[in-house]
Amino acid sequence: MLNSIPVQWRGFSLAALAMISFTIGSLGTKLALNASAIDFYSIAIWGWGSGMVAATLFFFLPLKSQREELLPELKKHKQFFGIISVLTLINGSTWFYGMSQINGGVVALLDQNVIVWSFLLGALFLGERFSWRQLSAISITILGLVIISNLKGEVTLLGILCLLTCGLSISLQSLLIKKYKLPFNALALAFWRGWAMVIFSFLISLSLGIFQSQIELYALITVGVAQFFGLFVGRAAYIKAHEFLPMSHLSFLMLGIPIIVLLSSFVVLNEPVSLQKIIGALVMLSGLIWFFTRKAKRAKQKKAEPLVSGLN
């Protein structure tokens, strides 16, 4: 069915699915954290585990074509999948802790620090060059992050550091995917990275004696559904969308997530929408929009240069 859709619209469809899934993941996780008495790490393991059980039972087992791809893909890309899984464990753990320390709407805004990391890694390792206007746009984005990071009563320093670490680990994953030369199955990667998070985090918690086996039914169902969408559906759709859309277009579309989550957090979680939060969001988003519109304009001009020289 997806193959019958024009290439660009396949990318837009996958990006929309990723946006919706990440929003469900953020809101559902915050609801579960608010409803449960257990610590953030235990509820993270319950969420990842139940989310991946759902993905396995309702997607991979019924679909033979996907089920048969799992082991061959793991054998072919085991080192690559392993590194991605370790980085996923880091970004998952730091994201959950950040969620436990910061309001859901603010988390969605601070999550956009991943774009700043992507800019830095792209310049350092992919040879990407940026104009002074794009550098100015990045500076504006950082200013917005600073404004949001100073929200009294809604953020903690440790929570901010965790979300910055989360953004860095996600950017490192994108860098590795960008530099990896062999084609791979995005759904298989989402499956193995998800189960790696569940198994490794569970073993770590058992060795430290911190895993709490008692969880409220409502919290379990909520975090399970949230992580099915956030950990599996959203991430798989986002990875797959790279095949159909330029990075700048895809990143631009993802800017809708913090706005959706901010508004949804106000309605669903009754979180306050202060003037400082609105100002910080607008400053940050204006910087990001400026950055990607400038980047898209430069790419279009560069693409048109051979045509102009040929006409001359």
Side-chain angles (χ1 to χ4, degrees):
M1 181 178 178
L2 188 63
N3 291 332
S4 63
I5 305 173
V7 170
Q8 190 178 38
W9 286 105
R10 289 184 222 173
F12 288 144
S13 299
L14 288 165
L17 177 60
M19 289 174 63
I20 294 169
S21 298
F22 290 148
T23 299
I24 293 172
S26 294
L27 291 176
T29 298
K30 192 63 182 180
L31 277 171
L33 283 166
N34 292 344
S36 179
I38 68 174
D39 64 87
F40 83 96
Y41 196 62
S42 296
I43 203 170
I45 295 171
W46 278 111
W48 295 332
S50 55
M52 288 310 301
V53 165
T56 304
L57 292 177
F58 300 116
F59 183 80
F60 286 100
L61 289 182
L63 296 177
K64 185 179 178 181
S65 60
Q66 294 299 328
R67 186 173 69 248
E68 291 181 341
E69 285 281 319
L70 293 176
L71 285 178
E73 284 289 298
L74 179 61
K75 290 177 182 177
K76 187 178 180 181
H77 310 285
K78 58 187 176 191
Q79 187 175 7
F80 172 63
F81 280 19
I83 296 172
I84 293 292
S85 296
V86 171
L87 289 171
T88 302
L89 179 61
I90 294 171
N91 84 250
S93 300
T94 51
W95 184 80
F96 256 91
Y97 186 76
M99 265 285 190
S100 70
Q101 297 291 305
I102 298 173
N103 283 349
V106 181
V107 167
L109 292 167
L110 291 176
D111 271 346
Q112 302 310 307
N113 77 83
V114 68
I115 297 175
V116 179
W117 288 119
S118 297
F119 157 74
L120 293 173
L121 293 177
L124 289 172
F125 299 105
L126 297 177
E128 295 182 1
R129 294 184 178 182
F130 303 92
S131 67
W132 68 268
R133 290 185 178 87
Q134 289 173 318
L135 292 172
S136 300
I138 286 292
S139 301
I140 292 172
T141 302
I142 295 172
L143 175 61
L145 287 170
V146 170
I147 293 172
I148 293 168
S149 298
N150 283 285
L151 284 165
K152 294 181 179 179
E154 294 191 53
V155 299
T156 65
L157 177 60
L158 191 54
I160 293 167
L161 292 175
C162 280
L163 290 178
L164 290 174
T165 303
C166 175
L168 175 60
S169 63
I170 291 173
S171 298
L172 286 171
Q173 290 177 62
S174 295
L175 177 65
L176 289 174
I177 291 171
K178 193 79 172 175
K179 292 180 74 69
Y180 193 63
K181 303 300 182 182
L182 299 176
F184 62 90
N185 186 312
L187 289 169
L189 175 58
F191 177 87
W192 289 117
R193 73 194 282 276
W195 273 115
M197 284 181 70
V198 176
I199 295 169
F200 289 140
S201 58
F202 181 64
L203 291 176
I204 291 170
S205 67
L206 281 183
S207 65
L208 296 175
I210 59 174
F211 180 68
Q212 294 176 273
S213 58
Q214 300 294 323
I215 183 173
E216 299 84 349
L217 181 60
Y218 171 77
L220 175 61
I221 294 172
T222 304
V223 76
V225 172
Q227 289 308 304
F228 170 75
F229 283 98
L231 177 63
F232 174 65
V233 177
R235 189 55 57 186
Y238 183 74
I239 293 171
K240 188 69 176 175
H242 285 75
E243 295 181 18
F244 307 107
L245 288 176
M247 278 294 297
S248 58
H249 293 183
L250 184 57
S251 299
F252 180 79
L253 291 171
M254 292 301 111
L255 297 181
I257 295 174
I259 300 299
I260 297 171
V261 174
L262 189 67
L263 295 175
S264 301
S265 297
F266 173 71
V267 175
V268 178
L269 303 175
N270 294 319
E271 291 183 355
V273 181
S274 64
L275 180 61
Q276 184 179 349
K277 189 185 294 185
I278 293 171
I279 292 172
L282 290 175
V283 170
M284 190 183 74
L285 291 175
S286 64
L288 290 169
I289 291 169
W290 188 18
F291 176 78
F292 285 110
T293 52
R294 288 299 308 173
K295 192 171 184 179
K297 188 176 180 180
R298 284 188 70 194
K300 186 181 288 187
Q301 289 173 345
K302 196 170 183 180
K303 191 175 181 181
E305 282 174 5
L307 179 61
V308 173
S309 61
L311 291 173
N312 293 335

